[in-house]
Amino acid sequence: MKKIAVIGECMIELNGTPFGTMEQTFGGDTLNTAIYLKRTAKLNTATDKLDVLYITAMGCDPLSKAMIERWQKEGIDTRHVLVDDMRTAGLYMIQVDENGERTFLYWRNQSAARYLLSHPKFTQVKHCLEHVDAIFVSGISLAILSSRDRSRLLTLLEQLRSQGIEVIFDSNYRPALWPHDELASVRACYLTMYQTTNLALVTFEDEQRIWGDQSAQQTLTRLHSLGVKTVIVKQGDKGCLLSTSESTSPFYVPASAVSNVVDTTSAGDSFNGGFLAHYLAGSSLITACEYGNHLAGIVIQHKGAIIPAHITHPTYS
């Protein structure tokens, strides 16, 4: 059975109208990816031999415990979720406009996940990571850490890649998580990360904001020049481009047709989950992209980062 470790943060989610109806659930880019990855893997005999480990830190309060129990019900391996008795999960609120576009408010400064690498039991996590097939991190996984812990994580990922473990990165850039006017710091961090990455799953808008890219082709060229072997550039309703370092030209995979966009909150995360389930099972990159697009198309027609499990049962093979 293949193992993938997903490193990041999950927060309490409030979704609704301020001073009106508000639904409480949970979400976070890497946790969303982990759940959609596991759901996809469980629903397909070609992908079901896949162990998904979630690596984070949570509190010891009832809400943190309830969230972890929900992850376990999804089939996520939570044995390496560290417990922080001084902190709890962060909180975010989503507001969605009439076009399904969303804005976020965050309360996460004392989130336990921000102190993951400083946890006294992180050494046990490092040992676990030496025995997986792949590791997935995002730009948010990096951004929430202190500069010292961020450097430690980048060094660790470089060491693990040198041992043959595949490193997968979604750039997922959130300016509010970085110090004001610190684009140079973001670029330096991402430059190091890309030099450690085997597979990049990036959104063109993020790469454009950080690097000033004028086209998805420019993004592909830049990332390959940094040593990234396989690059997928997500372009929302335009689909995605895929390329490998051996490709003579990129391949375009169109998005699934969607008639009613309700909430785009987890579009990229669900793409990642659907893509990775098929990619890790040995499917072609085109097939993996097609399923990623298909799953994202389902998710954006419903509210919230993580939609009910029965809705994500594929009508696609």
Side-chain angles (χ1 to χ4, degrees), residues 181-306:
D181 293 331
E182 281 295 319
L183 188 57
S185 296
V186 177
R187 288 176 173 172
C189 173
Y190 278 42
L191 183 64
T192 301
M193 185 66 223
Y194 281 130
Q195 291 171 333
T196 307
T197 297
N198 300 94
L199 165 63
L201 296 164
V202 303
T203 300
F204 175 64
E205 289 182 356
D206 289 340
E207 298 301 302
Q208 189 176 45
R209 293 171 77 179
I210 299 170
W211 304 99
D213 291 354
Q214 298 301 305
S215 67
Q217 178 61 62
Q218 187 177 353
T219 299
L220 292 172
T221 300
R222 176 172 48 79
L223 296 185
H224 284 318
S225 73
L226 294 172
V228 183
K229 179 180 178 181
T230 304
V231 182
I232 311 298
V233 181
K234 295 172 283 185
Q235 301 180 94
D237 60 4
K238 295 179 181 177
C240 64
L241 281 179
L242 70 88
S243 176
T244 69
S245 53
E246 293 85 16
S247 302
T248 55
S249 61
F251 191 89
Y252 170 67
V253 182
S256 300
V258 175
S259 59
N260 183 35
V261 176
V262 174
D263 183 355
T264 60
T265 298
S266 197
D269 307 333
S270 54
F271 175 94
N272 292 345
F275 174 91
L276 288 172
H278 285 267
Y279 171 78
L280 293 169
S283 298
S284 71
L285 289 172
I286 294 174
T287 296
C289 286
E290 288 174 340
Y291 191 82
N293 282 339
H294 172 74
L295 184 55
I298 294 174
V299 170
I300 63 176
Q301 296 179 70
H302 302 84
K303 284 187 177 181
I306 302 172

Side-chain angles (χ1 to χ4, degrees), residues 131-202:
H131 297 86
V132 301
D133 299 285
I135 298 171
F136 175 86
V137 297
S138 77
I140 294 177
S141 307
L142 299 172
I144 64 171
L145 301 175
S146 67
S147 58
R148 174 178 174 272
D149 285 350
R150 189 180 305 128
S151 295
R152 290 175 60 197
L153 180 56
L154 289 169
T155 299
L156 175 60
L157 292 172
E158 184 178 11
Q159 293 170 348
L160 293 169
R161 180 183 179 178
S162 70
Q163 296 171 22
I165 296 168
E166 184 167 19
V167 176
I168 304 168
F169 180 57
D170 179 347
S171 55
N172 214 357
Y173 175 53
R174 297 291 182 269
L177 293 177
W178 295 88
H180 183 59
D181 293 331
E182 281 295 319
L183 188 57
S185 296
V186 177
R187 288 176 173 172
C189 173
Y190 278 42
L191 183 64
T192 301
M193 185 66 223
Y194 281 130
Q195 291 171 333
T196 307
T197 297
N198 300 94
L199 165 63
L201 296 164
V202 303

